[in-house]
């Protein structure tokens, strides 16, 4: 390719529907299921296949594929895949080879790998026992950690994931099947659907094809077909799956932010931000405490009793959220909510915050009156926010703090990242550019979420349904973003929560002295021209809840300072979600739910 990358270009005009490549099972390097191997063992030519299936059935698909490819490299000229092996790059610049300095630029993003197991430890734990059991399959020098890391980089950047019944369609589900596809893996990926001109599919049907000059029975095959007319000279592009820049970088070693023009860089529509439930829980817990009675005069025993009561109510709420699938069943505290440009405030997030902020009587009424049923998906929508403006305001203020916590995770502000992207000379390397692109993609989503929160507050105070007010706030927000980002870049370094620096979207730093609700100077509120209200809620239109809500205090100003502010989320990073071990080694991108089908642009 003119850019120095590998790729596939049409040498003549190609018509829509024309078959570009057909790769039979015999030419695919992958570890089959024991059932498939027993049925067609003669078709699997990799020597280590039988041993890996029998000796290491618990190995992940990624690790098993690395070991399989490693053994074929060791066979050299005897391998039936020797021509394919010779075509593979000797070095792949994926995250496995990034230095600590490079990886530090990814702090706070969806691929922050702080605390994850390093290649050396993973090799000793997973690969070395396999190699020691059959040194004939992995002789020197292919039994070393350096060779393992080299081959792991190739697999991570070039392997394809495939569902048995259909091609990856953008869902977050990963197949246990992992394939190395000679020639097919030369085709590059396009996140922009308008640039794609080919599709890869798996033909699950027996056929007869000429392979190596002789007609052979083919059990199944991979096929690349033109989705549209492709003129001569145009690059052939397809999709590895609906993956954001973070997933592309972690799995395949590139981001689509590098595609486009300087004036109009491409924005990947699949980018996302992960919001940990733990940070949501802490914010709501503190807000509930601020809404409760002043316990400064309580005895230690009474304080302990009150804390236990609050904890029991919170536990009941969490159990309910788990039962209706809003929190994952295994380790609900590790649940993460996905924010995207198209849906910066997902309904699941709004529902969870509403439940956590309910008074005890409100929660009891929710369960009694058409509440969630075990095992069924559940949504509160915005009905309660429309019914009670104070409650809508409280939910919005909770979101303000949750977004602040998320924006504190990054080492830079959005304004600083924009400046770096505008000045190419400011990058140390292409890796640095990729990291900044991933960060900024996430911060764009946080900015959109911030705009939506501003509108929620305006709606709550105007009496309009959420999202139903005028567009005055949103239409002026781009300019407001620039102003607030500029203010953030000029702010002095203050005391920040552990592991967090200056925020990217909402620049005002939440110090240990911060109280709820945020002060009038908070950037989200300032952009809406609003000042917070701190009167105690009566409840969601229920007179029976007046005593709980403290009706005697309605409308009174609270001039006291509260030293207990919501902490930033300093919990362990939990990767992409439920059911995955954070320490699953250097190939984790291929063993997680966000892995897609594809290979790197290398």
């Amino acid at each position: 390719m003119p850019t120095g990358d590998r790729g596939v270009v049409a040498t003549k005009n190609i018509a829509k529907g024309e078959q570009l490549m057909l790769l039979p099972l015999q030419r695919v390097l992958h570890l089959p299921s024991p059932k498939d191997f027993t049925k067609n063992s003669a078709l699997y030519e990799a020597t280590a296949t039988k041993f890996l299936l029998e000796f290491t059935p618990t190995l992940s698909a990624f690790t098993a594929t690395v070991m399989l490819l490693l053994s074929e490299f060791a066979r050299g000229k005897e391998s039936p895949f020797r021509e394919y092996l010779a075509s593979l790059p000797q070095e792949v610049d994926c995250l496995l080879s990034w230095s600590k300095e490079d990886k530090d630029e990814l702090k706070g993003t969806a691929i922050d790998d702080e605390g994850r197991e390093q290649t050396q430890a993973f090799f000793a734990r997973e690969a070395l026992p396999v190699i020691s059991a059959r040194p004939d399959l992995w002789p020197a020098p292919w039994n070393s950690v350096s060779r393992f890391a080299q081959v792991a980089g190739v697999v991570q950047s070039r392997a394809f994931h495939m569902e048995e019944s259909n091609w990856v369609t953008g869902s977050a589900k990963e197949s246990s099947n992992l394939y190395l596809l000679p020639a097919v893996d030369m085709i590059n990926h396009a996140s922009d659907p308008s640039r794609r001109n080919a599709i890869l599919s798996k033909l699950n049907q027996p056929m007869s094809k000429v392979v190596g000059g002789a007609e052979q029975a083919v059990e199944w095959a991979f096929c690349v077909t033109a989705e549209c007319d492709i003129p001569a000279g145009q690059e052939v592009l397809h999709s590895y799956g609906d993956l954001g820049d973070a997933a592309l970088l972690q799995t395949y070693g590139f981001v689509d932010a590098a595609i486009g023009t300087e004036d109009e860089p491409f924005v990947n529509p699949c980018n996302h931000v992960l919001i940990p439930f733990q940070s949501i829980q802490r914010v709501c817990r503190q807000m509930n405490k601020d809404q409760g009675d002043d316990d400064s005069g309580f005895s230690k025993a009474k304080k302990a009793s009150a804390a236990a009561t609050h904890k029991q109510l919170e536990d009941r709420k969490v159990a309910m959220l788990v039962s209706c699938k809003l929190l994952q069943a295994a380790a609900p505290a590790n649940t993460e909510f996905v924010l995207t440009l198209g849906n910066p405030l997902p309904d699941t997030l709004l529902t969870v915050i509403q439940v956590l902020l309910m008074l005890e009587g409100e929660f009891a009424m929710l369960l009694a009156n058409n509440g969630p049923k075990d095992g069924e998906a559940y949504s509160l929508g915005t009905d309660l926010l429309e019914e009670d403006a104070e409650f809508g305001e409280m939910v919005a203020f909770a979101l303000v703090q949750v977004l602040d916590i998320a924006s504190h995770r990054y080492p830079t502000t959005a304004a600083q990242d924009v400046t770096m992207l505008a000045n190419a000379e400011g990058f140390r390397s292409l890796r640095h550019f990729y990291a900044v692109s991933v960060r900024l993609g996430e911060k764009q989503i946080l900015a959109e979420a911030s705009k939506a929160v501003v509108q929620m507050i305006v709606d709550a105070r105007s009496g309009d349904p959420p999202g139903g007010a005028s567009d005055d706030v949103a239409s002026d927000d781009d300019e407001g973003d620039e102003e607030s980002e500029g203010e953030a870049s000029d702010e002095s370094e203050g005391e920040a929560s552990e592991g967090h620096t200056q925020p990217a979207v909402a620049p005002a730093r939440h110090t240990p002295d911060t109280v709820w609700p945020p002060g009038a100077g908070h950037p989200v509120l300032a952009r809406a021209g609003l000042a917070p209200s701190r009167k105690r809620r009566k409840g969601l239109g229920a007179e029976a809840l007046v005593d709980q809500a403290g009706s005697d205090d309605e409308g009174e100003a609270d001039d006291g300072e509260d030293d207990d502010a919501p902490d930033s989320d300093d919990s362990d990073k939990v990767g992409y979600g439920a059911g995955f071990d954070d320490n699953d080694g250097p190939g984790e991108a291929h063993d997680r739910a966000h892995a897609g089908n594809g290979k790197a642009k290398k």
Side-chain angles (χ1 to χ4, degrees), residues 328-331 334 574 576-582 584 591-593:
Q328 62 191 36
N334 289 348
V574 295
Y576 280 133
F580 294 99
D581 182 357
D582 223 16
D584 52 1
D591 293 327
R592 290 182 180 276

Side-chain angles (χ1 to χ4, degrees), residues 338-419:
V338 180
L339 277 57
T340 65
L341 280 174
N343 191 13
L345 289 182
D347 192 62
T348 51
L349 176 63
L350 290 175
T351 298
V352 166
I353 290 179
Q354 289 180 72
V355 170
L356 292 180
L357 291 178
M358 284 181 177
L359 302 172
E360 184 173 9
E362 295 169 345
F363 182 62
M365 290 173 61
L366 174 69
L367 297 180
N369 299 327
N370 299 317
K373 296 178 176 59
D374 285 354
E376 292 186 4
Y378 184 71
S379 168
L380 284 175
T382 60
D383 290 348
L384 299 181
L385 308 183
E386 297 170 23
E387 176 185 331
D388 190 302
E390 288 179 316
F391 188 60
E393 215 171 279
M394 193 173 181
V395 170
F397 286 140
L399 285 165
V400 167
Q401 295 180 78
V402 168
L403 294 176
D404 275 357
I405 290 172
S407 66
H408 276 70
R409 301 184 309 208
Y410 305 99
T412 58
T413 67
Q416 290 169 335
D417 286 345
V418 168
T419 300

Side-chain angles (χ1 to χ4, degrees), residues 28-42:
V28 175
L29 187 60
H30 89 113
L31 191 70
S33 67
K35 180 181 177 180
D36 287 342
F37 181 73
T38 300
K39 180 180 177 182
N40 299 297
S41 59

